[in-house]
């Protein structure tokens, strides 16, 4: 999973910035017209399921999600690169408010020609993740 590939590099940097809770660094990884769908489709973070488009919307997404977590851990079982995309299979472990939740899924980073994240799409099921909730 260490192959030097622009999409993998961007995905690794995105996860590192999220773990460090470095909002400015995380936002700087995105293309100006980039977007985030996490999870893909309608959710409490995105009731219409259209994603968070542009840096201002991505910044608001960060404030609703990453900023509220006590800690994040990315447990990646496999990582594949194809074209300008990196697909990661695994789980995101989130600790918040004395609880730990695992979101198993597929996490897809697409980069543009400059290596900036064009899209971050996370495929995971909210109900399934909530069933893993446990006290820490």
């Amino acid at each position: 999973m260490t192959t030097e590939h622009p999409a993998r590099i961007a995905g690794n940097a995105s996860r590192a910035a999220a773990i460090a809770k470095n909002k400015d660094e995380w936002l700087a990884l995105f293309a100006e017209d980039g977007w985030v769908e996490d999870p893909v489709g309608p959710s409490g973070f995105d009731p219409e399921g259209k994603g968070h488009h542009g840096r201002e919307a991505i910044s608001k997404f960060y404030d609703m999600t990453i900023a509220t977590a006590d800690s994040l851990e990315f447990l990646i079982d496999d990582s594949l690169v194809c074209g300008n995309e990196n697909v990661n299979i695994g789980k995101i472990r989130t600790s918040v408010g004395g609880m730990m939740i695992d979101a198993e899924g597929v996490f897809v980073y697409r980069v543009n020609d400059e290596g900036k994240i064009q899209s971050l799409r996370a495929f995971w099921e909210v109900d399934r993740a909530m069933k893993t909730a446990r006290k820490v």
Side-chain angles (χ1 to χ4, degrees):
M1 288 190 243
T2 60
T3 302
E4 294 297 317
H5 183 281
R8 185 170 284 140
I9 291 167
N12 289 341
S14 172
R15 290 187 296 279
I19 290 167
K21 299 189 88 165
N22 187 329
K23 182 179 180 179
D24 291 336
E25 185 177 312
W26 191 74
L27 289 173
L29 296 168
F30 286 87
E32 289 294 329
D33 60 346
W35 71 91
V36 173
E37 295 174 74
D38 185 355
V40 170
S43 73
F45 304 127
D46 181 12
E48 294 182 19
K50 295 181 180 181
H52 308 273
H53 294 263
R55 287 227 180 119
E56 183 176 334
I58 294 170
S59 176
K60 289 178 183 176
F61 168 80
Y62 180 99
D63 293 340
M64 286 188 296
T65 57
I66 297 168
T68 65
D70 297 327
S71 68
L72 293 169
E73 185 177 2
F74 295 87
L75 306 167
I76 305 300
D77 297 323
D78 204 358
S79 179
L80 305 150
V81 290
C82 296
N84 61 348
E85 298 188 61
N86 173 220
V87 176
N88 297 283
I89 302 159
K91 67 178 88 165
I92 300 173
R93 179 166 289 156
T94 305
S95 294
V96 60
M99 299 297 288
M100 185 177 293
I101 300 168
D102 291 336
E104 295 178 309
V106 176
F107 311 97
V108 183
Y109 298 83
R110 174 183 287 223
V111 296
N112 63 18
D113 291 340
E114 290 78 44
K116 294 287 188 176
I117 299 172
Q118 189 64 53
S119 66
L120 166 52
R121 303 181 75 221
F123 296 82
W124 59 278
E125 296 177 25
V126 174
D127 292 344
R128 184 172 169 172
M130 294 310 294
K131 289 179 183 176
T132 72
R134 60 214 181 265
K135 291 186 180 196
V136 288

